[in-house]
Amino acid sequence: MYTAHPDRYADMPYRRTGRSGLKLPALSLGLWHNFGPDRPVETQRAILRRAFDLGVTHFDLANNYGPPPGAAESALGEFLKSDFAAYRDELVISTKAGYLMWPGPYGEWGSRKYVLSSLDQSLTRMGLDYVDIFYSHRPDPDTPLEETMGALHSAVQQGKALYVGVSNYSAEQTREAVRILGELGTPLLIHQPRYSMLDRRPEEEGLLDALDELQVGSIVFSPLEQGVLSARYLDGIPEGSRAASDSPFLNSDALTEELVGRLRDLNDIAKSRGQTLAQLALAWVLRGGRVTSALVGASSAQQLEDSVGAIRNLDFDADELARIDAIVKR
């Protein structure tokens, strides 16, 4: 029988999401790669329990997370029932619809039929009546944005989602989504872009500026660049790592000598701050409060603890930021 730690809210900072009343922990747990039948059940349980004990109240999923697709939601559903039933109102649970889930013309993208069918399937897998945040996972080039946003609005109207968000949308698409949802009466709560020290596109393409202007929250994924921004690859590619596998998201060719050299220099900055490289990377995306929350994955409770340690030092001076920029952009 799991009993949550009584001091779970003592250290984690919580940030208001846009102009809503919802606060998210500075670090949220993403159930992308490590919650499926290929992972030990007890390891998955340990990660979730430790996350909640450390004040990580937000669990982020999508319909296609696993592997196989749907497995992460099914796994979380079992743990919600066995461990977290008493804590449902202390949790923020999010899921998404957009990527391929079943064959035929209605199994992906952004049609009303797919989006709402997907949400029903997600709720069934997790054993929930509603999710806290429901996202359009990617823009659909062939479906009017009015239809996709209308489906998100319907999810709220039906009581199946409390808030809605978008992911992988450009600044221009986000502005239009905000306009459409505003006219419907369901504000856009949050955007989930990819963002890290090594991937500055949300800055360069004006997305973060747009979110500031629109008063929309942000939660960034891949802030550690699939583990590249950790100490794991400073001395080569270890056996059993993602880069050593056949992962489509990271392979050994990406870890060039030049990149590893930059990682080592970034690690020196991290050491000077009393942080690991992963903690430095997480603190960097959270600097200044512009980003609401950073999503982290974990293959063990210990790895999660290291990530959460980033909250102990989220401040940077101008010299540190300049040195980081010089290393990343050289």
Side-chain angles (χ1 to χ4, degrees):
M1 182 71 174
Y2 167 65
T3 301
H5 197 286
D7 295 329
R8 57 190 176 277
Y9 296 115
D11 298 318
M12 177 65 66
Y14 297 86
R15 297 178 170 187
R16 189 169 300 281
T17 311
R19 60 188 181 94
S20 77
L22 184 69
K23 293 182 179 180
L24 291 179
L27 293 175
S28 298
L29 179 63
L31 280 70
W32 183 18
H33 283 308
N34 297 315
F35 287 81
D38 60 334
R39 305 286 176 154
V41 171
E42 287 308 313
T43 299
Q44 297 177 47
R45 175 177 281 114
I47 293 169
L48 290 168
R49 287 181 173 185
R50 190 64 183 134
F52 191 54
D53 284 346
L54 291 170
V56 178
T57 53
H58 179 208
F59 299 160
D60 178 82
L61 301 97
N63 56 357
N64 64 324
Y65 288 179
E73 290 179 331
S74 296
L76 180 63
E78 292 300 316
F79 295 124
L80 289 174
K81 188 189 311 179
S82 63
D83 288 29
F84 296 99
Y87 304 105
R88 172 63 183 101
D89 291 337
E90 296 183 47
L91 291 170
V92 173
I93 297 171
S94 60
T95 197
K96 313 175 192 73
Y99 286 92
L100 181 65
M101 279 300 290
W102 60 86
Y106 321 119
E108 63 178 324
W109 293 109
S111 71
R112 180 179 181 84
K113 178 170 177 58
Y114 166 72
V115 169
L116 293 178
S117 297
S118 176
L119 176 56
D120 285 341
Q121 292 183 18
S122 292
L123 293 174
T124 297
R125 282 190 288 266
M126 291 187 284
L128 294 174
D129 296 322
Y130 71 94
V131 290
D132 297 277
I133 307 171
F134 182 46
Y135 290 85
S136 169
H137 206 166
R138 59 174 173 170
D140 182 345
D142 298 319
T143 297
L145 192 58
E146 287 83 357
E147 180 173 340
T148 305
M149 294 302 104
L152 296 184
H153 170 67
S154 292
V156 174
Q157 294 298 106
Q158 294 168 5
K160 296 176 181 179
L162 301 185
Y163 302 93
V164 299
V166 296
S167 181
N168 299 304
Y169 278 53
S170 69
E172 181 181 357
Q173 290 166 330
T174 302
R175 290 181 188 278
E176 185 65 4
V178 167
R179 183 191 66 78
I180 295 166
L181 285 167
E183 291 177 354
L184 293 171
T186 297
L188 182 68
L189 173 80
I190 195 166
H191 190 300
Q192 187 173 133
R194 180 168 183 153
Y195 182 48
S196 74
M197 286 196 294
L198 300 180
D199 188 344
R200 308 287 185 91
R201 284 175 295 177
E203 292 178 6
E204 297 163 352
E205 297 172 2
L207 177 62
L208 293 185
D209 288 338
L211 297 179
D212 287 344
E213 177 190 332
L214 298 166
Q215 294 183 283
V216 171
S218 60
I219 178 168
V220 300
F221 71 90
S222 292
L224 300 183
E225 287 294 320
Q226 305 295 317
V228 170
L229 286 167
S230 72
R232 193 161 204 186
Y233 301 108
L234 296 178
D235 298 307
I237 301 174
E239 186 177 342
S241 66
R242 183 169 295 168
S245 70
D246 58 357
S247 170
F249 304 106
L250 178 66
N251 58 60
S252 57
D253 293 341
L255 288 160
T256 63
E257 286 187 22
E258 190 273 337
L259 174 57
V260 172
R262 284 190 284 162
L263 295 177
R264 288 173 179 156
D265 289 344
L266 290 171
N267 191 51
D268 288 340
I269 296 176
K271 287 180 179 178
S272 72
R273 290 169 49 86
Q275 293 181 313
T276 65
L277 178 54
Q279 289 169 348
L280 173 74
L282 293 169
W284 184 88
V285 298
L286 291 167
R287 73 198 186 284
R290 197 176 194 190
V291 166
T292 312
S293 184
L295 276 169
V296 295
S299 58
S300 68
Q302 292 73 29
Q303 189 179 72
L304 178 73
E305 289 174 358
D306 179 75
S307 294
V308 172
I311 66 174
R312 291 193 287 269
N313 186 6
L314 298 178
D315 296 324
F316 290 82
D317 61 36
D319 178 64
E320 288 173 325
L321 292 174
R323 289 167 60 201
I324 290 169
D325 284 348
I327 291 167
V328 168
K329 296 176 181 180
R330 74 187 181 202

